């Protein structure tokens, strides 16, 4: 495959490697041998070639037509292709061709790019292709479409999340896509934020564990393995805390909160080898993250010791000029961002940034050492991914792509995510012989189940849907037969369609299943002004309640949309999140009892738009109008979720009631399945700190474990805490443990936890 030029180039650097590392090479680790190769190739590069490595363009920039055109094949614009891929030798590409290519189609695209870059450009460096395969390899047609991250978090099953990472990786690599702009490690503190569905929710510990699990699934086999992808954690940092809840909005995050809540998920993943980090588009405390040298240089690369590639978000250097108004032009913006620590610039439309970087460096406004650091990181990742040897992968080798094994894991994830929030008089599961009316916006749509970033960016195109996948309605019909099931839309997302007809039909049924939901959306299109579930969808339930038939509410949504007025009108509530393409089956299996639900909320579900708090609020936040402290009244608490069976907790034991220095704490609890169905239960361990100078949080999650119990079975569940778990950020912005009383709280229902006090002394 390699042409003469590449061989000569490689030959030269291997000679240099040989000389430079003769003694070293024999005993050296793989990493240091990569470092030697990187140094050698760096020594051969012109400044312009280095700047080219720092550029990430969008694939449509080298195709015919306008950038945003939807296409059905990838036709190259020869001039632009030669200019960008060969002459400018861009380091990296992202985005789709404008349609969801099959793995074979991706192979053709990437092969053409890599062959050209490696055989025709001066140094023959392969391109690093990055993509947002955020719930399965969603941009590879035919891949399994997993639940979105928020649903994976609701499973509280790290093993499943790891498998999700593994399968996503496998199916991405089947399409020669080695770098995934995922997982999302944002802490989603503001329920209005439209990308909560793409996050693991509000809790730093749950997010850290899930991010780590996904990372392991993607990278654990080693990046040289042709089924691994390098992850790119995003978005660093504070994207999920925009003050007004809008996409890319300014967040106010004091240093202590940054360290207590926002950094830990990134820190854990970086310690465990995450290879990429994407910077957040928003500003924190008014400083755009892309020019925040304290965040990138000092914290990310300094304190956390991150050695991988720091990439900008989409067009974000330009955003510094057009939206943040922090730089007067692109030149100034580039200088600020690169000096702040950015290694790669996602500059989707062209290569103008290359000349800007060259000019800035030649004039001494960006030090050469900074450029070398950036390019070293990029080349190192390319070597680690073995792209110089295997720049693309033969799709034929990926026989497990969309296999039954992958579909089963997907179905299992969707099933375990489903969270039963209400079940009056054990109305669920339903008997299959009853007459049921199915209605509502999300009842008969695969797109709503899949959400955004499903084959297309917004995920609203029906032409890309897999016809073999079942909507909620079709899955129910398949399960219990058509005879007993009636359907009418009722509403779409924002408008009444035929709610009167729904009310009429409801009179002749035994139960009504109303499926509400959110329109698929991400980024700006996901902004909303009201957290309430759209009025028309609530109105449908209000009207239907007049029929006096039991109502089962199924919610297909990323965010917790407020349902305060309709909650009392329904008998059961099934929270589905954005469950992906096996979601219809999973809902039907929960409703009819083939699956015993075991999901728990990964965020606090607010009841009032004026009472929005994460569960780790401060006591002063909940002072009520009677001067008491009863002002936290969510609709449902973080960690809440019911089952068709019941669990009893007893015998909470802690090995010591006084803890000193760095001693470990051993906790055990007995959990019994007291119902008559087998079920899974999430055992949650919270820690409450009673007194600290920096006002303590109400509690924090420190451990969890998902177990399965047969009817009547009891299991003892054990946890070990260490003193680090007792630490909080103090007023000096450092982790400290203050002497005093703490409480361990354990259980499966946040309103009913077993508690035991301990004392910590130094
Ligand atoms: C999003 C990122 C995404 C990037 C590349 C941006 O607009 O904020 O999450 O990874 O585009 O597609």
């Amino acid at each position: 495959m390699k042409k003469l030029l590449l061989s000569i180039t490689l030959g030269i650097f291997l000679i240099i490697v040989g000389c430079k590392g003769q003694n070293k090479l024999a005993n050296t680790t793989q990493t240091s041998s990569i470092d030697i190769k990187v140094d050698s190739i760096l020594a051969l590069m012109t400044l312009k070639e280095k700047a080219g490595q720092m550029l990430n363009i969008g694939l449509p920039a080298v195709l015919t037509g306008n950038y945003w055109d939807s296409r059905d094949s990838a036709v190259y614009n020869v001039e632009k292709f030669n200019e960008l891929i060969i002459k400018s030798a861009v380091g990296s590409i992202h985005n789709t061709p404008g349609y969801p290519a099959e793995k074979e189609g991706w192979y053709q695209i990437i092969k053409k790019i890599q062959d050209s870059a490696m055989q025709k450009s001066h140094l023959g460096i392969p391109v690093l292709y990055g993509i947002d395969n955020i719930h399965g390899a969603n941009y590879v047609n035919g891949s399994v479409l997993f639940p979105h991250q928020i649903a994976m978090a609701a499973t509280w099953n790290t093993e499943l999340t790891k498998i999700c990472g593994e399968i996503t990786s496998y199916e991405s690599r089947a399409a020669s896509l080695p770098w995934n702009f995922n997982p999302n490690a944002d802490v989603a503190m503001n329920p209005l934020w439209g990308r909560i569905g793409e996050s693991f929710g509000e809790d730093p510990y749950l997010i850290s564990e899930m991010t780590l699990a996904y990372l392991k699934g993607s990278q654990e086999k080693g990046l040289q393995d042709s089924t691994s992808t390098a992850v790119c954690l995003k978005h660093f940092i504070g994207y999920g805390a925009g003050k007004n809840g809008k996409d890319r909005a300014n967040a106010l995050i004091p240093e202590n909160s940054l360290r207590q809540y926002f950094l830990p998920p990134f820190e854990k993943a970086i310690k465990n080898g995450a290879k990429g980090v994407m910077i957040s588009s928003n500003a924190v405390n008014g400083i755009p993250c892309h020019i925040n040298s304290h965040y990138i240089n000092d914290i990310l690369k300094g304190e956390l010791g991150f050695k991988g590639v720091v990439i900008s978000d989409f067009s974000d250097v330009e955003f510094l000029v057009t939206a943040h108004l922090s730089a007067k032009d692109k030149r100034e913006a580039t200088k600020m961002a690169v000096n702040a620590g950015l290694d790669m610039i996602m500059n989707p439309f062209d290569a103008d940034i290359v000349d800007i970087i060259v000019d800035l460096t030649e004039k001494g406004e960006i030090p050469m050492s900074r450029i070398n650091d950036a390019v070293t990181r990029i080349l190192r990742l390319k070597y680690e991914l073995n792209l110089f040897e295997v720049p693309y992968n033969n799709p034929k080798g990926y026989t497990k792509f969309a296999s039954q094994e992958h579909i089963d894991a997907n179905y299992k994830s969707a099933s375990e995510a489903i969270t039963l929030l209400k079940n009056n008089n054990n109305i669920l599961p339903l008997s299959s012989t009853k007459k049921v009316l199915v209605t509502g916006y999300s009842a008969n749509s695969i797109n709503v189940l899949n959400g955004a970033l499903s084959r297309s960016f917004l995920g609203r195109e029906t032409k890309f849907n897999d016809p073999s996948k079942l909507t909620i309605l079709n899955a129910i019909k398949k399960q219990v037969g058509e005879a007993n099931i009636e359907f009418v839309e009722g509403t779409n997302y924002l408008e009444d369609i035929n709610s009167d007809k729904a009310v009429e039909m409801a009179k002749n049924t035994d139960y009504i299943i109303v499926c509400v939901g959110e329109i698929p959306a991400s980024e700006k299109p996901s902004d909303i002004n009201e957290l309430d579930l759209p009025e028309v969808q609530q109105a449908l339930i209000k009207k239907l309640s007049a029929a006096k038939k039991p109502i089962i509410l199924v919610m297909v949504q990323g965010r917790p949309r407020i349902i305060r007025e309709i909650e009392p009108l329904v008998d059961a509530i099934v929270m589905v999140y954005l469950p992906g393409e096996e979601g219809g089956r999973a809902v039907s299996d929960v409703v009819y009892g083939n699956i015993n639900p075991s999901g728990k909320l990964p965020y606090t579900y607010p009841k009032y738009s004026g009472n929005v708090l994460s569960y780790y609020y401060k006591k002063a936040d909940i002072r009520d109008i009677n001067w008491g402290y009863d002002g936290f009244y969510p609709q449902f608490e973080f960690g809440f979720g019911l089952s068709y069976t019941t669990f009893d907790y007893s015998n909470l034991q802690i090995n010591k009631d006084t803890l000193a220095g760095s001693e470990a704490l051993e906790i055990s609890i007995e959990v019994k399945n007291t119902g008559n169905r087998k079920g899974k239960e999430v055992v949650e361990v919270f820690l409450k700190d009673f007194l600290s100078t920096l006002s303590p949080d109400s509690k924090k999650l420190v451990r969890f474990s998902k177990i399965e119990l047969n009817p009547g079975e009891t299991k003892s569940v054990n946890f070990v805490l260490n003193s680090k778990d007792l630490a909080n950020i103090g007023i000096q912005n450092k982790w400290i443990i203050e002497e005093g009383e703490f409480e361990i709280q354990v259980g499966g229902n946040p309103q009913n936890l077993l508690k035991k006090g301990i004392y910590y002394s130094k």
Side-chain angles (χ1 to χ4, degrees):
M1 142 197 308
K2 296 175 187 92
K3 280 184 82 181
L4 189 62
L5 187 57
L6 179 73
S7 318
I8 296 169
T9 314
L10 282 172
I12 294 170
F13 88 69
L14 284 175
I15 293 167
I16 298 170
V17 167
C19 300
K20 230 182 139 182
Q22 252 168 19
N23 300 328
K24 263 201 212 160
L25 266 179
N27 309 316
T28 188
T29 61
Q30 190 209 356
T31 318
S32 57
S33 89
I34 283 180
D35 286 346
I36 293 165
K37 287 182 191 168
V38 168
D39 285 352
S40 310
I41 209 161
L42 197 68
L44 301 174
M45 294 174 86
T46 63
L47 174 57
K48 187 150 184 173
E49 282 164 345
K50 291 179 184 174
Q53 285 303 303
M54 294 170 70
L55 169 63
N56 171 292
I57 56 160
L59 178 62
V62 294
L63 301 180
T64 53
N66 291 320
Y67 189 91
W68 295 114
D69 284 351
S70 37
R71 302 173 176 81
D72 46 27
S73 68
V75 180
Y76 292 100
N77 175 325
V78 178
E79 203 182 313
K80 284 201 211 156
F81 187 92
N82 290 344
E83 171 64 31
L84 288 162
I85 308 293
I86 300 169
K87 200 161 150 252
S88 291
V90 300
S92 179
I93 304 186
H94 79 285
N95 217 336
T96 71
Y99 64 95
E102 319 255 314
K103 60 181 188 319
E104 293 76 12
W106 273 114
Y107 172 74
Q108 294 303 338
I109 291 171
I110 309 259
K111 181 175 183 326
K112 162 92 180 156
I113 290 170
Q114 299 292 46
D115 286 350
S116 305
M118 297 178 74
Q119 295 169 17
K120 297 185 184 155
S121 74
H122 171 216
L123 286 171
I125 301 172
V127 164
L128 176 61
Y129 208 108
I131 197 123
D132 296 301
N133 275 338
I134 67 168
H135 67 121
N138 42 252
Y139 283 137
V140 183
N141 215 15
S143 75
V144 296
L145 283 175
F146 267 89
H148 281 259
Q149 274 195 199
I150 197 66
M152 294 310 302
T155 66
W156 294 60
N157 185 333
T158 48
E159 195 44 42
L160 265 183
T161 302
K162 183 179 170 201
I163 292 169
C164 165
E166 207 171 297
I167 292 176
T168 303
S169 215
Y170 181 98
E171 299 200 349
S172 297
R173 213 58 200 259
S176 295
L177 298 165
W179 191 26
N180 196 3
F181 297 156
N182 210 44
N184 180 314
D186 291 321
V187 178
M189 278 196 187
N190 189 333
L192 272 170
W193 188 43
R195 300 185 75 176
I196 286 182
E198 297 167 47
S199 80
F200 287 126
E202 80 180 24
D203 180 72
Y205 181 73
L206 182 58
I207 298 167
S208 301
E209 293 302 300
M210 287 294 170
T211 302
L212 177 63
Y214 190 95
L215 163 77
K216 284 186 181 164
S218 309
Q219 294 192 179
E220 202 173 57
K221 291 190 195 122
L223 291 187
Q224 307 252 323
D225 187 288
S226 59
T227 64
S228 294
T229 51
V231 303
C232 182
L233 307 171
K234 59 191 191 185
H235 307 81
F236 195 81
I237 195 168
Y239 189 9
K243 188 164 175 279
N244 66 0
K246 298 286 196 285
D247 183 60
R248 290 163 158 77
N250 184 39
L252 296 178
I253 306 180
E255 183 100 3
N256 55 44
S257 298
L258 182 88
R259 292 178 180 281
Q260 178 88 33
Y261 311 116
F262 293 90
L263 272 181
F266 286 92
E267 185 171 4
K268 189 167 241 170
I270 287 166
K271 281 214 170 101
N272 284 280
K275 295 290 175 187
V277 169
M278 186 184 291
I279 301 300
S280 173
S281 276
N282 71 333
V284 173
N285 308 327
I287 308 172
C289 293
H290 281 78
I291 57 171
N292 196 329
S293 173
H294 176 54
Y295 283 3
I296 308 176
N297 281 331
D298 301 348
I299 297 182
L300 178 62
K301 292 183 172 177
E303 283 178 41
L304 306 190
F306 180 61
K307 296 275 182 289
V309 174
V310 177
I311 184 171
S312 81
D313 202 340
F314 191 95
S315 243
D316 261 289
V317 165
E318 243 162 49
F319 208 55
L320 292 169
V321 182
T322 56
H324 289 302
L325 309 178
S326 293
K328 68 173 185 293
D329 55 24
K330 202 162 174 179
R331 187 180 186 281
E332 188 178 48
T334 307
K335 174 179 165 180
M336 290 161 104
V338 174
N339 283 330
L342 202 66
D343 302 318
M344 185 179 274
I345 296 166
M346 199 187 290
N347 191 65
F349 311 111
D350 53 44
D352 58 352
I353 210 102
V354 171
D355 289 334
I356 296 178
I357 294 174
V358 168
D359 180 52
L360 285 163
T361 313
E362 280 173 352
K363 297 207 165 85
E365 294 174 64
I366 298 176
M368 195 62 189
S369 55
R370 180 69 273 278
I371 301 292
N372 285 341
D373 172 52
V375 180
T376 297
R377 289 163 181 268
I378 294 162
L379 293 177
R380 191 193 294 137
L381 183 52
K382 292 183 181 187
Y383 274 110
E384 286 173 336
L385 280 163
N386 206 19
L387 295 181
F388 284 84
E389 295 302 321
V390 186
Y392 38 82
N393 311 91
N394 185 347
K396 289 204 180 75
Y398 293 80
T399 50
K400 289 205 294 183
F401 182 90
S403 59
Q404 195 56 45
E405 181 191 331
H406 290 189
I407 293 169
D408 290 348
N410 188 11
Y411 167 76
K412 193 167 182 226
S413 304
S415 316
E416 281 209 22
I418 292 178
T419 308
L420 183 64
L421 295 174
K422 181 173 182 179
N423 196 16
N424 276 2
N425 305 317
N426 293 327
I427 190 165
L428 290 179
L430 298 184
S431 140
S432 56
T433 57
K434 299 287 184 187
K435 278 182 88 65
V436 173
L437 170 68
V438 180
T439 184
Y441 167 61
S442 63
N444 198 23
S445 166
I446 283 286
N447 298 74
V448 179
L449 296 174
N450 282 337
L453 286 98
S454 298
R455 310 303 183 217
S456 64
F457 170 57
L458 284 182
R460 293 179 191 170
E461 297 270 14
T462 51
K463 66 179 179 208
F464 300 138
N465 293 342
D466 176 344
S468 72
K469 301 300 171 189
L470 301 175
T471 63
I472 297 175
L473 171 69
N474 291 336
I476 288 177
K477 280 185 177 167
K478 188 161 181 207
Q479 177 131 333
V480 298
E482 306 228 347
N484 283 331
I485 306 299
E486 299 282 350
F487 168 70
V488 64
E489 293 94 327
T491 77
N492 64 20
Y493 181 52
L494 294 175
E495 293 155 355
D496 191 300
I497 298 183
N498 43 18
S499 63
D500 289 341
K501 189 164 173 211
V503 174
E504 228 6 75
M505 288 165 80
K507 291 179 186 152
N508 304 316
T509 56
D510 298 313
Y511 297 101
I512 309 166
I513 299 179
V514 191
C515 305
V516 298
E518 291 201 293
I519 191 163
S522 178
E523 301 186 35
K524 270 293 144 198
S526 68
D527 279 357
I528 50 173
N529 293 320
E530 290 283 359
L531 192 54
D532 300 55
L533 184 71
E535 212 175 311
V536 70
Q537 299 196 47
Q538 297 203 50
L540 174 66
I541 291 158
K542 289 177 186 166
K543 276 173 136 180
L544 285 168
S545 70
K548 304 264 177 266
K549 298 290 167 68
I551 299 178
I552 290 100
L553 173 64
V554 174
M555 301 194 289
V556 185
Q557 55 189 16
R559 280 173 286 223
R561 304 298 294 259
I562 289 178
I563 52 165
R564 178 185 68 251
E565 290 181 10
I566 54 170
E567 182 274 328
L569 307 178
V570 305
D571 299 84
I573 302 180
V574 182
M575 176 62 157
V576 180
Y577 312 94
L578 301 171
E581 64 189 2
E582 302 304 330
R585 276 209 289 151
V587 171
S588 168
D589 281 339
V590 164
V591 168
Y592 287 98
N594 298 331
I595 293 282
N596 186 358
S598 63
K600 303 263 181 185
L601 278 178
Y603 46 49
T604 306
Y605 203 118
K607 190 169 187 177
Y608 297 92
S609 58
N611 190 295
V612 171
L613 284 174
S614 41
Y615 82 87
Y616 43 93
Y617 55 79
K618 310 251 178 235
K619 189 172 176 187
D621 294 340
I622 60 159
R623 190 113 202 239
D624 61 36
I625 54 171
N626 302 315
W627 309 102
Y629 290 93
D630 213 7
F632 179 55
Y633 27 85
Q635 188 78 59
F636 306 105
E637 284 195 38
F638 169 83
F640 177 72
L642 301 165
S643 163
Y644 292 154
T645 188
T646 46
F647 298 100
D648 184 50
Y649 285 75
S650 64
N651 205 13
L652 172 61
Q653 301 277 349
I654 301 182
N655 67 332
K656 40 179 83 122
D657 47 21
T658 301
L659 193 67
S662 56
E663 285 176 347
L665 205 61
E666 288 163 24
I667 300 169
S668 74
I669 186 131
E670 278 172 18
V671 191
K672 180 172 186 189
N673 181 344
T674 47
N676 51 17
R677 285 185 71 121
K678 188 174 180 170
K680 290 188 176 164
E681 169 71 333
V682 180
V683 184
E684 302 162 16
V685 183
F686 293 94
L687 179 88
K688 183 176 178 64
D689 184 355
F690 285 97
L691 185 76
S692 68
T693 321
L694 201 157
S695 179
D697 290 345
S698 57
K699 60 181 175 187
K700 67 175 178 186
L701 183 73
V702 284
R703 294 289 181 276
F704 61 89
S705 173
K706 195 163 191 177
I707 56 169
E708 184 163 34
L709 293 171
N710 286 313
E713 187 184 354
T714 301
K715 267 189 190 156
S716 175
V717 188
N718 304 306
F719 302 94
V720 177
L721 297 192
N722 49 53
S723 53
K724 177 89 211 290
D725 293 303
L726 272 59
N728 286 310
I729 295 293
I731 51 175
Q732 306 294 341
N733 297 329
K734 300 223 161 25
W735 289 99
I736 53 162
I737 316 177
E738 292 180 80
E739 271 193 6
E741 284 176 48
F742 292 79
E743 189 174 69
I744 305 292
Q745 308 181 347
V746 190
N749 176 354
Q751 283 170 334
N752 184 21
L753 301 168
L754 296 185
K755 300 175 181 172
K756 240 188 174 128
I758 52 161
Y759 191 88
Y760 176 81
S761 70
K762 300 226 176 214

